[in-house]
Amino acid sequence: MSDSRASGRCHCGAIRYSMPTEVEHHALCHCSDCRRHAGAPMVGWALVSRADLEMTGTPKIYASSEHGRRHFCGDCGTGLFYTNEAIFPGQIDVQSGTLDDPDLIPAGAQIQVAERIGWMEKLDEMPTFNRYPWMD
């Protein structure tokens, strides 16, 4: 097992964390729960053992379903972690978009695509700009 670690934080920096770069899985989730909680068209999740996640600060926890718990910064609102003891006992999903360098842990799959927003399938057909179109 690799000893390499990645760091991340919430938007305001009140909660910081460190986790291994070797994860159980890293998937992009398209479910409506993740989209609504994050306000984004999909959310990246990297699963690690809770024992391997080091954290400073204390997130607020929201019971988003019978077993699901979403952890977020109470100051800035950034979604950070997800736990579900029924599905992932002893593990924690980390929102990979909050990593300081998200490229350290490449995504390996897309999940819950049955709920994917239709236009997400055509991203490669959309015009792209390095910054805002009027700034390119």
Side-chain angles (χ1 to χ4, degrees):
M1 180 179 240
S2 170
D3 288 339
S4 183
R5 295 188 66 82
S7 61
R9 65 179 183 89
C10 66
H11 191 263
C12 72
I15 299 173
R16 297 178 184 273
Y17 66 87
S18 171
M19 63 183 281
T21 56
E22 191 170 308
V23 298
E24 187 75 26
H25 68 80
H26 181 192
L28 303 177
C29 185
H30 294 272
C31 83
S32 59
D33 277 353
C34 285
R35 289 196 331 257
R36 189 164 306 279
H37 188 263
M42 70 181 160
V43 178
W45 294 107
L47 187 69
V48 296
S49 167
R50 272 197 212 201
D52 290 336
L53 182 74
E54 297 172 2
M55 181 183 351
T56 60
T58 304
K60 290 196 177 275
I61 299 174
Y62 167 66
S64 60
S65 64
E66 181 181 0
H67 300 288
R69 303 294 178 263
R70 294 181 184 272
H71 306 233
F72 62 96
C73 176
D75 293 332
C76 68
T78 302
L80 295 162
F81 314 113
Y82 176 83
T83 53
N84 187 320
E85 287 302 313
I87 298 172
F88 306 123
Q91 296 180 301
I92 189 164
D93 252 335
V94 178
Q95 282 197 25
S96 57
T98 64
L99 287 165
D100 294 329
D101 184 357
D103 284 327
L104 288 175
I105 306 172
Q110 293 186 61
I111 59 173
Q112 302 284 48
V113 294
E115 297 180 38
R116 179 172 50 198
I117 298 170
W119 50 259
M120 287 292 291
E121 294 180 42
K122 299 179 181 181
L123 291 179
D124 59 340
E125 297 173 18
M126 293 182 189
T128 62
F129 305 91
N130 288 329
R131 301 284 181 215
Y132 294 105
W134 59 87
M135 297 176 82
D136 257 358

